[in-house]
Amino acid sequence: MWSFGRKRKAGDKIDIPQPLTINHGGTPEEARKIGAKWAETFELLGGLGPDQAILDIGCGPGRMAIAIGDRFDWRNDYTGFEIVRDDVAFARRTISKAHPTFEFVHIDAYNVQYNPLGKVEPTAVRFPADDRSIDFCFATSIFTHLFAADSAHYVREAARVTRGTFLSTWFVIDEGFPKAIEAGTSRFGFPHRDADGVAYEHADAIAAAVGHDWSAIQRYFGDAGLSCDLHRGAWRGDGKGARHSQDIIVARPR
Ligand SMILES: C[S@@+](CC[C@H](N)C(=O)[O-])C[C@H]1O[C@@H](n2cnc3c(N)ncnc32)[C@H](O)[C@@H]1O
């Protein structure tokens, strides 16, 4: 793990300390391993490469930033934004300090799970990027914590800034879901629905795991002028050969 007491040398690995990774699941070692696998997925499915402009929606303390930097030799112009202030502070003083083309922005948006005192409605968030300036925009495990209006707005914002690929992860609920429930293979049952019909797992922690109907997701992307290719994840137990648990949507401007 990185010690704050000594000077960083070229080639030093950046590790996210336990109190920050715990918010996103797992140990520092797991964060590094999961990040590396995602960076590979970004290349395989999203065409990510060095020298591309990147926007990371809800970047946390920088799990994906570190993995992308390691994979592409810190050659990207990367911006991550996040609603948890401590995550952004950590990412700035470690990642940006060593790699200044990796920037982190704090936006004080409300999320009942992650930032319950947030002052900005998610539907009022403007992503920190100019129109059509981003080659690879991504959101890993963000729409799994957002409800209908916020999701529609975030997809619209992603469409505004993206000129290349927008990759995002979801829990997609479609006609296969009841079959997975019946078979007992699904990690989530999503027993609750809010007024807009969005599904959630825990009545006492509604944003901890959120599932969206496939028809609603297609509408968000269609209305935003994006194509929408679904790559099924493993969470339902029926995604054969899936690399990750969550479903992945790869989208491009039409
Ligand atoms: C499970 S973590 C994933 C973090 C990061 N994307 C990763 O994969 O390492 C979910 C993240 O979503 C962020 N989040 C929740 N609501 C958000 C919003 N409205 N806008 C941006 N980020 C949000 C949380 O603060 C948290 O960092």
Side-chain angles (χ1 to χ4, degrees), residues 21-25 38 56-61 63-64 81-84 87 109-116 120-123 139-152 154 168-172 187-188 190 194 198-202 205-212 217 220 245-247:
T21 55
I22 209 74
N23 207 10
H24 310 281
W38 272 107
D56 182 352
I57 301 164
C59 58
R63 177 170 69 158
M64 300 302 176
F81 80 88
E82 170 55 47
I83 66 176
V84 175
D87 284 356
Y110 170 83
N111 181 291
V112 65
Q113 190 75 20
Y114 288 94
N115 192 22
V120 180
E121 279 302 323
T123 49
T140 44
S141 201
I142 302 303
F143 294 102
T144 50
H145 306 288
L146 298 186
F147 288 86
D150 303 345
S151 300
Y154 270 39
S168 53
T169 70
W170 302 73
F171 294 124
V172 175
R187 190 176 147 204
F188 298 110
F190 289 124
D194 77 351
V198 177
Y200 55 100
E201 184 70 4
H202 307 287
I206 62 169
V210 176
H212 297 263
I217 295 171
Y220 303 152
S245 177
Q246 299 185 4
D247 302 311

Side-chain angles (χ1 to χ4, degrees), residues 1 15-30 90:
M1 187 187 294
D15 273 323
I16 300 167
Q18 179 84 44
L20 295 182
T21 55
I22 209 74
N23 207 10
H24 310 281
T27 63
E29 293 71 30
E30 282 162 345
F90 168 81

Side-chain angles (χ1 to χ4, degrees), residues 164-175:
T165 302
F166 170 42
L167 185 151
S168 53
T169 70
W170 302 73
F171 294 124
V172 175
I173 296 181
D174 62 9
E175 70 289 342

Side-chain angles (χ1 to χ4, degrees), residues 48-54 65-78 98-102 135:
L48 179 60
D51 306 317
Q52 293 184 358
I54 299 173
I66 293 167
I68 290 168
D70 284 345
R71 188 170 184 85
F72 299 111
D73 206 20
W74 301 96
R75 279 174 50 189
N76 297 89
D77 273 328
Y78 164 104
H99 305 286
T101 64
F102 278 57
D135 301 303

